[in-house]
Amino acid sequence: MKKIWRYIYITSIFGMLVLATACSSDKPDPIHINPSDIVVSNSGDNLTQNPFEMDEKNVVLGSINHHAVNLQADEAGRVLPIQYNGGELKIDYSVNASGKARNVGFLLFIDGLPQPYKLDSSGTAYEYMHIFELEENKATPFTFTFTPITGKKGELLPIKFVSVYNPSFIPDMKVTASYGGDQTILEAGGEVFFNKDTEQWAVPLSSKQAGLLNVRQSTERVTQELLVSHGRSEKIAIETLDSKVFSELYVDGSIRHDNLKVENSGLLQITFKLFGHPGVSYRNTIYLNHKPLESQDGVSFPMALTKGNLEVLSAEITLDQLGDFSTFYVVSVPLNAEDFYDDVIILEKTPSLLLYKGAGI
């Protein structure tokens, strides 16, 4: 079976991703990424396996690394928060990629809220994602330029820079029917200190995307059946939920993999469930074609995890706004990961799901 590993190395404002595939004589299956294949270190000192030490059966597909530059540090060498002093905030950044990883897009979050931005050097418009075609093994500098959508004087808020691998890819239901290892993510993070209130401004209409209806949130109890369904690769006990976070995404009442054929009009039922580590708070955003879906209540929905419970977000999507092929996923951004230093609390993204209409085939 062909298998893909994702190794993540995260420090303050730095992230590195290595994609590799293990070869065998068996006919390869579609590539998938499993949560158990992810290795994370907050310090960078204790990776459980060196991603660059691969045996002879492994083939490196490519790598991505990205980080903020020109940051200020204190006398001990600790990176200081980014300072917001009013107006547009500019953060110099750099991304480097090799192999098959050179198509890369970036999402940006402040305090868990999706942040539209523009690229200062190219005069681009405000968008929630900008996509790069990178040169092989060559650092590409750019500048995130934006007015923060949240932030009051004196607040210290988390900021997340999230790369999406190969966001331009979308299955065509002829040659391919699955995203496989495409559209996996890598995060780097830090903090922004607000010396002034952020200025009020309207997100450009070109960046907005309506169509999320009847949003509801509720709480359910964790069941033994739920633990069993998530324990295919390793047994999950109720105690496991004290340190790990899990999610489920239901579309029209079922967990869907790879793709789903939808109608030309009507409503699509969406249910997202998040459960696990008590005390961790998240904001959840539903994306269609790499742009948040908006409701009358906004674009992001908070969840605070509690022991023995799972948090549920339900909504409906209007199908008449979808094209023949659409990319769909949910991103969950932790707001207080630093409160749980001994545990691995990272940003979560559901695997991309293709929503397609029969006319597109």
Side-chain angles (χ1 to χ4, degrees), residues 343-360:
D343 298 314
V344 177
I345 307 296
I346 61 174
L347 181 144
E348 307 275 346
K349 172 187 172 293
T350 62
S352 291
L353 178 69
L354 174 69
L355 303 178
Y356 73 97
K357 296 179 178 180

Side-chain angles (χ1 to χ4, degrees), residues 77-317:
R78 292 185 294 265
V79 176
L80 296 173
I82 297 165
Q83 303 292 307
Y84 177 71
N85 296 307
E88 286 189 325
L89 178 61
K90 296 185 178 183
I91 302 175
D92 294 329
Y93 215 78
S94 179
V95 57
N96 194 322
S98 66
K100 294 181 179 297
R102 286 177 287 158
N103 180 260
V104 180
F106 279 92
L107 301 173
L108 183 64
F109 298 89
I110 293 184
D111 199 28
L113 297 170
Q115 171 71 59
Y117 65 94
K118 59 185 179 181
L119 303 177
D120 186 60
S121 61
S122 62
T124 56
Y126 270 96
E127 297 290 351
Y128 284 99
M129 175 185 280
H130 290 273
I131 298 176
F132 297 81
E133 291 290 344
L134 305 174
E135 295 185 43
E136 178 83 13
N137 292 319
K138 180 180 179 181
T140 299
F142 64 97
T143 301
F144 286 102
T145 302
F146 58 95
T147 299
I149 59 173
T150 186
K152 297 291 186 182
K153 182 178 180 179
E155 286 188 323
L156 182 65
L157 299 180
I159 185 169
K160 298 286 186 182
F161 308 88
V162 182
S163 64
V164 179
Y165 161 61
N166 204 13
S168 297
F169 172 75
I170 188 167
D172 59 10
M173 295 304 295
K174 295 178 181 178
V175 178
T176 58
S178 168
Y179 290 88
D182 292 290
Q183 302 199 4
T184 55
I185 62 170
L186 172 67
E187 69 170 276
E191 295 174 316
V192 178
F193 183 79
F194 286 79
N195 295 302
K196 292 185 177 180
D197 291 353
T198 187
E199 298 177 4
Q200 296 296 318
W201 68 290
V203 175
L205 291 177
S206 61
S207 298
K208 292 191 172 186
Q209 181 173 222
L212 193 62
L213 305 174
N214 302 322
V215 177
R216 306 169 302 281
Q217 291 189 248
S218 59
T219 300
E220 299 176 0
R221 292 294 294 172
V222 171
T223 64
Q224 185 61 37
E225 290 77 12
L226 185 69
L227 298 179
V228 171
S229 69
H230 279 268
R232 296 186 181 94
S233 59
E234 61 175 315
K235 185 177 181 180
I236 297 177
I238 191 68
E239 292 77 16
T240 308
L241 304 186
D242 290 337
S243 58
K244 293 185 178 181
V245 176
F246 300 87
S247 66
E248 289 186 332
L249 178 60
Y250 293 79
V251 182
D252 269 358
S254 299
I255 296 177
R256 309 288 180 171
H257 300 285
D258 302 328
N259 59 73
L260 174 65
K261 185 177 180 179
V262 298
E263 300 296 329
N264 290 323
S265 61
L267 297 175
L268 188 69
Q269 305 293 324
I270 303 298
T271 302
F272 176 71
K273 300 181 179 182
L274 193 68
F275 60 100
H277 199 308
V280 181
S281 295
Y282 287 86
R283 290 192 196 275
N284 305 278
T285 303
I286 298 174
Y287 282 83
L288 185 68
N289 298 323
H290 310 299
K291 186 183 295 186
L293 276 169
E294 296 192 39
S295 75
Q296 62 181 8
D297 300 315
V299 298
S300 291
F301 307 94
M303 287 183 179
L305 301 186
T306 54
K307 191 175 181 65
N309 296 317
L310 55 87
E311 298 302 315
V312 182
L313 173 64
S314 300
E316 295 170 337
I317 295 176

